[in-house]
Amino acid sequence: MRDILGITNELNTSLQKKEQDLANAILLVEVAKRRSRRKVADYTILHHYRVDIFFKIIDWQVQEFNARFNEVTTNLLVGVACLNPVDSFSSFDINKILRMAKLYPDDFDENITVTLKNQLETYIVDVRDVDERFSNLQGLVDLSETLVKTKKHLNYPFVFRLVKFALLLPVATATVERTFSAMKLIKSELRNRMNDEFMSGCLVPYVERKIFNTISDETIMNTFQEMKTRRGQL
């Protein structure tokens, strides 16, 4: 930037004078153009790919990361990671877990958050330092199962609630993504006036098609027949 300003410095100074010398100003314009062209000559293809394109790609990546991983998403994912029992709860961090809990205001109000903090302080000492049954857990699934087997989910109900939220998060996210993908296929330009009930009736069988494939046609017809009295028998 300093070099660029230096190329046009004399021209800018000349144009800002009260008594302008147009002849010299025009010459300075030509000088600035030539100096700029010499700078372009030093601008190699290698510089173009290493610097300009590289920086643009980095900027695009940063924008994409910021869009996908905003503060809320980051706090949520970090909180889930802190609940992971791998390596004897090495990632456990009470403050980060509490930030995750604040993302669920309907389930963790101010009073419950205070209780949750106390439970977390007792919980980590219990499962990491006292109870050996929690020493070799490999994930949140093992943690939830062990909490239920040892009945510690009754001792730490709010901690167990967070563990359940952490387990439901991937399923809920995947279901929403599949639903939006299916919506693009079902609600097309030719069927853009579908009401909510009809669209829901189309989306559920499509999204959960693995389950619906196990249901026989006869069962579907019998269920449809029993919904109300019909003139004909299916």
Side-chain angles (χ1 to χ4, degrees), residues 177-189:
E177 290 180 353
R178 287 200 302 268
T179 302
F180 276 105
S181 298
M183 190 181 299
K184 294 180 181 179
L185 298 175
I186 293 175
K187 192 172 183 179
S188 60
E189 293 182 359

Side-chain angles (χ1 to χ4, degrees), residues 183-223:
M183 190 181 299
K184 294 180 181 179
L185 298 175
I186 293 175
K187 192 172 183 179
S188 60
E189 293 182 359
L190 298 178
R191 293 181 292 187
N192 59 358
R193 295 185 179 181
M194 299 171 62
N195 58 34
D196 294 340
E197 184 179 359
F198 181 59
M199 185 170 65
S200 177
C202 294
L203 282 174
V204 172
Y206 182 85
V207 174
E208 304 296 342
R209 53 187 176 276
K210 290 184 179 180
I211 298 176
F212 279 86
N213 286 335
T214 62
I215 303 174
S216 64
D217 294 340
E218 184 178 356
T219 302
I220 296 174
M221 288 189 294
N222 291 336
T223 303

Side-chain angles (χ1 to χ4, degrees), residues 6-228:
I7 292 173
T8 59
N9 180 60
E10 288 77 13
L11 175 61
N12 293 333
T13 303
S14 176
L15 294 176
Q16 290 173 5
K17 292 180 179 179
K18 292 183 179 180
E19 298 179 0
Q20 295 183 358
D21 187 349
L22 294 179
N24 285 328
I26 293 174
L27 292 175
L28 288 173
V29 170
E30 184 63 25
V31 170
K33 288 181 179 180
R34 292 190 179 184
R35 290 191 63 190
S36 298
R37 283 199 293 269
R38 282 206 297 269
K39 289 294 180 181
V40 173
D42 297 332
Y43 186 83
T44 62
I45 296 177
L46 182 61
H47 178 275
H48 172 69
Y49 283 103
R50 276 190 174 181
V51 179
D52 290 352
I53 293 182
F54 177 76
F55 285 163
K56 287 181 180 179
I57 292 175
I58 292 297
D59 290 340
W60 290 338
Q61 289 178 338
V62 170
Q63 291 176 3
E64 186 70 18
F65 280 130
N66 290 335
R68 290 182 176 270
F69 300 98
N70 53 27
E71 184 178 358
V72 174
T73 306
T74 302
N75 289 338
L76 184 61
L77 295 177
V78 170
V80 171
C82 291
L83 289 170
N84 199 321
V86 174
D87 296 331
S88 299
F89 298 87
S90 59
S91 300
F92 189 85
D93 189 309
I94 291 179
N95 293 327
K96 293 178 181 178
I97 295 175
L98 290 176
R99 283 200 292 268
M100 172 188 173
K102 291 180 180 178
L103 300 176
Y104 299 94
D106 294 336
D107 297 279
F108 295 94
D109 57 22
E110 186 175 353
N111 294 328
I112 294 179
T113 303
V114 174
T115 306
L116 173 63
K117 182 179 180 181
N118 294 328
Q119 283 190 9
L120 287 170
E121 292 173 350
T122 307
Y123 159 82
I124 190 59
V125 175
D126 186 0
V127 298
R128 184 170 59 188
D129 302 330
V130 178
D131 198 334
E132 295 182 355
R133 291 173 293 183
F134 291 83
S135 58
N136 295 316
L137 301 181
Q138 299 301 318
L140 290 172
V141 175
D142 292 345
L143 176 61
S144 63
E145 291 177 352
T146 308
L147 285 171
V148 174
K149 289 179 182 178
T150 58
K151 296 184 178 181
K152 290 186 183 294
H153 68 294
L154 302 176
N155 297 333
Y156 312 110
F158 298 130
V159 177
F160 186 64
R161 184 183 298 178
L162 276 179
V163 173
K164 289 191 293 184
F165 287 165
L167 289 172
L168 289 172
L169 182 62
V171 178
T173 304
T175 302
V176 171
E177 290 180 353
R178 287 200 302 268
T179 302
F180 276 105
S181 298
M183 190 181 299
K184 294 180 181 179
L185 298 175
I186 293 175
K187 192 172 183 179
S188 60
E189 293 182 359
L190 298 178
R191 293 181 292 187
N192 59 358
R193 295 185 179 181
M194 299 171 62
N195 58 34
D196 294 340
E197 184 179 359
F198 181 59
M199 185 170 65
S200 177
C202 294
L203 282 174
V204 172
Y206 182 85
V207 174
E208 304 296 342
R209 53 187 176 276
K210 290 184 179 180
I211 298 176
F212 279 86
N213 286 335
T214 62
I215 303 174
S216 64
D217 294 340
E218 184 178 356
T219 302
I220 296 174
M221 288 189 294
N222 291 336
T223 303
F224 186 73
Q225 183 72 42
E226 294 172 357
M227 290 175 64
K228 66 178 182 179

